[in-house]
Amino acid sequence: MGVGEASATAADGDVIPRSTWVAMGAMALAVLAIANDFTAMNVVLPTIEGDLDSSLSAVQWVVNGYALVFGVLIVPGGRLADVYGRSRMLCIGAALFAAFSFLGGLAPNVGLLIAARVLMAVGGALMWPAILGLIYGLLPESKAGLAGGLVIGVAGIGNATGPLIAGALALASWRWIFFLNIPIALIALVVTWRTVPRDEATEREPIDYAGSALLSLSLGALLGALTVAPTQGWADPLVVGGLVAAVVLMVGFVLRERSTGEDGLVPPSVIRNGPFLAACLAALCMSATFFASLLYLPQLFQKIQGEGTMTAGVKLLPFVAVFALASFTETWLLGKIGLKAVVSLGAVCVVAGPVLFVLLLDDQAAYLRLVPGMVVLGVGVGLFFSAATTAGLTAVDPSRSSLAGGLLYMFQIGGGAVGLGLTTVLFLASADAGVRDAASDVGVELSDEEVRDLQGVLVGTESSAAVQAAHPEDARALTEVVRDAFVDGVRVAFTFDAVLALVGVGLVLTRVGGPLSRLGRDVDRGDAADPAHDRSGTDPPAGRHRTRRHRHAHRHVP
């Protein structure tokens, strides 16, 4: 029986044929690899920092470059899949993902590694929306809910297991994290090409290439300036030029979107929807805490506690495992306490997590003192992003839900990338000042370059060894100085993230899922305020709530 006949049988008898299960399994593997790459690299960044003789400000781009490009291109990726065919875009994306994973595994320096990660993200942004659309197309209507559940469930598993897989692979070499992607992407490419019918274009809407490019370049210029500023100074021509370019490009993006109207990357009819915009901005504010936790907690485990990559991955489990569990229980909670309560609870926990880190973190970064913050933050991230996406999507017309889901994800991932960039600037400023002052107290005067180089002593970079060699009698004291300054810098970083998340809480309590007075009134409905409610401030008519399939189809996991 051919693939087309198998699909017809599934539609007629609600029986999913073996070929469909095989295709969905291959695509689920691809989702696992994409989601895994969001969390896996954080555990091995200290190792990469030492191996490639780099710095934290540079290696953060291994995470940020991937996230930023993926987040910005997810909407154009979905439109490309609609215009040119989902199976075609999945195969192109898988080929890019595999090819640049191979190059990333061979990268001899941090610059080429970052470039490979950025281009991997292009492939991932083509694959992700194509996979969701293909799985929906393969399933019969009665089982369509499996599509969203499969993608989100596998993505959650990928996020949760990423640090463990990376830690295990890094026992051999961190490069195997990249090489593992190659067979997975190729399996998705071959199986999809052989088992999934070629889909026709479903729409011919214009694709806003210029808008996507302007937004990507603007955020890239901003993050580039933030990366260079701690080492070169804010008055450096490269930093000033980057900031000016970011502003000019962002103005160009806004003007471009106004001129293109509904054909733009961000259509006015969607972004001018108040409750939807509030959900986007709240996600932007909350994402910095999520990204910073994935970066700085493994740094503490390895640089301060002296753990290896595998142990660091295991120690991150209270965060990522609780996050995955909370994501899966969000639907159940909607029926128990309502959407407004779930999204508010999640937002408050996202603030409480970094607050607990700041209050409980001691100079030795004792692990048990970090666990309460990880558990609370895991609950917050798992509940907030799922519920905020539901609230945002149910605030727009159902015909625009796919586009709205992509925009929400763009704000979430793009906001996390920019937020992490700002967090790292503050961390480095605090850590550098702490090293300089403490070194002076022990009688060692360090130049700005020596201060920056000495930060690498916790991972054993060649440049830090040279600084210690220049001060042999104070080498041990300088190591302790760096350790203390690092912990203080982490406290400053999480304080900033907590303040930013607090702004998000204000948006959530007042605008996301309706006003605060709505708390508890949407129990057993599981939807945010209906568009009619959100615009008028009155409750929607009975029966006008979204189905479970709608809620899960577009929920995204970072």
Side-chain angles (χ1 to χ4, degrees), residues 152-332:
I152 298 308
V154 171
I157 293 171
N159 287 153
T161 60
L164 293 176
I165 295 173
L169 291 173
L171 293 176
S173 171
W174 56 266
R175 297 179 185 275
W176 282 103
I177 300 170
F178 290 89
F179 295 144
L180 180 64
N181 291 330
I182 299 170
I184 293 175
L186 292 179
I187 288 171
L189 189 157
V190 173
V191 173
T192 300
W193 192 257
R194 291 175 61 89
T195 62
V196 178
R198 304 295 173 267
D199 56 318
E200 299 294 330
T202 58
E203 59 180 63
R204 288 291 179 182
E205 291 186 10
I207 300 173
D208 187 11
Y209 296 110
S212 301
L214 286 168
L215 180 59
S216 301
L217 291 172
S218 175
L219 296 179
L222 173 62
L223 287 175
L226 294 178
T227 302
V228 174
T231 57
Q232 301 298 111
W234 290 96
D236 185 82
L238 195 59
V239 175
V240 174
L243 294 175
V244 171
V247 172
V248 171
L249 289 166
M250 184 58 69
V251 171
F253 170 71
V254 172
L255 294 176
R256 164 73 184 179
E257 296 308 289
R258 287 184 177 180
S259 66
T260 52
E262 293 302 307
D263 293 332
L265 179 66
V266 184
S269 63
V270 177
I271 204 64
R272 288 175 184 169
N273 181 304
F276 174 76
L277 179 59
C280 289
L281 294 176
L284 184 149
C285 292
M286 298 292 181
S287 294
T289 298
F290 178 71
F291 274 56
S293 298
L294 286 174
L295 177 68
Y296 287 106
L297 290 175
Q299 295 272 333
L300 287 171
F301 300 153
Q302 294 176 69
K303 292 182 176 179
I304 306 303
Q305 296 176 9
E307 304 289 6
T309 53
M310 183 64 189
T311 304
V314 172
K315 284 190 168 184
L316 201 59
L317 271 177
F319 174 35
V320 293
V322 170
F323 150 55
L325 180 63
S327 295
F328 284 118
T329 60
E330 180 257 358
T331 299
W332 176 80

Side-chain angles (χ1 to χ4, degrees), residues 61-62 65-66 69-70 73 113-123:
W61 270 90
V62 174
Y66 183 84
V69 172
F70 187 93
L73 294 187
L113 179 62
I114 292 168
R117 286 278 291 176
V118 165
L119 293 168
M120 282 172 61
V122 175

Side-chain angles (χ1 to χ4, degrees), residues 285-286 288-293 296 350-351 354 419-420 422-423 426 492-502:
C285 292
M286 298 292 181
T289 298
F290 178 71
F291 274 56
S293 298
Y296 287 106
V350 173
V351 175
L420 180 58
L422 291 169
T423 300
L426 294 174
V492 170
F494 280 127
T495 299
F496 168 75
D497 292 329
V499 172
L500 191 59
L502 191 61

Side-chain angles (χ1 to χ4, degrees), residues 84 176 229 279 293 326 346 408 419 421 476 504 536 539 558:
Y84 296 108
W176 282 103
S293 298
L408 264 165
R476 182 181 296 274
S536 67
D539 282 356

Side-chain angles (χ1 to χ4, degrees), residues 1 12 265 298 372 461 481 513 529:
M1 180 167 55
D12 292 339
L265 179 66
T461 60
V481 162

Side-chain angles (χ1 to χ4, degrees), residues 55-57 60 225-234 296 420-438 448 451-452 455 481-482 484-494 496:
S55 64
L56 179 59
S57 62
Q60 69 160 335
L226 294 178
T227 302
V228 174
T231 57
Q232 301 298 111
W234 290 96
Y296 287 106
L420 180 58
L422 291 169
T423 300
T424 302
V425 168
L426 294 174
F427 164 80
L428 291 173
S430 173
D432 285 354
V435 168
R436 183 180 293 103
D437 294 343
D448 290 344
V451 168
R452 292 191 297 269
Q455 296 284 2
V481 162
V482 174
D484 293 344
F486 188 94
V487 174
D488 288 341
V490 171
R491 291 194 187 98
V492 170
F494 280 127
F496 168 75

Side-chain angles (χ1 to χ4, degrees), residues 355-424:
V355 169
L356 288 172
F357 291 147
V358 173
L359 294 178
L360 299 179
L361 179 63
D362 62 6
D363 290 341
Q364 300 305 312
Y367 179 68
L368 290 180
R369 296 176 71 89
L370 294 170
V371 171
M374 284 193 282
V375 171
V376 171
L377 183 59
V379 172
V381 170
L383 294 182
F384 170 76
F385 287 110
S386 295
T389 301
T390 300
L393 295 186
T394 52
V396 302
D397 188 277
S399 65
R400 311 307 300 273
S401 60
S402 293
L403 173 61
L407 289 174
L408 264 165
Y409 198 52
M410 184 175 72
F411 271 86
Q412 177 181 331
I413 303 301
V418 174
L420 180 58
L422 291 169
T423 300
T424 302

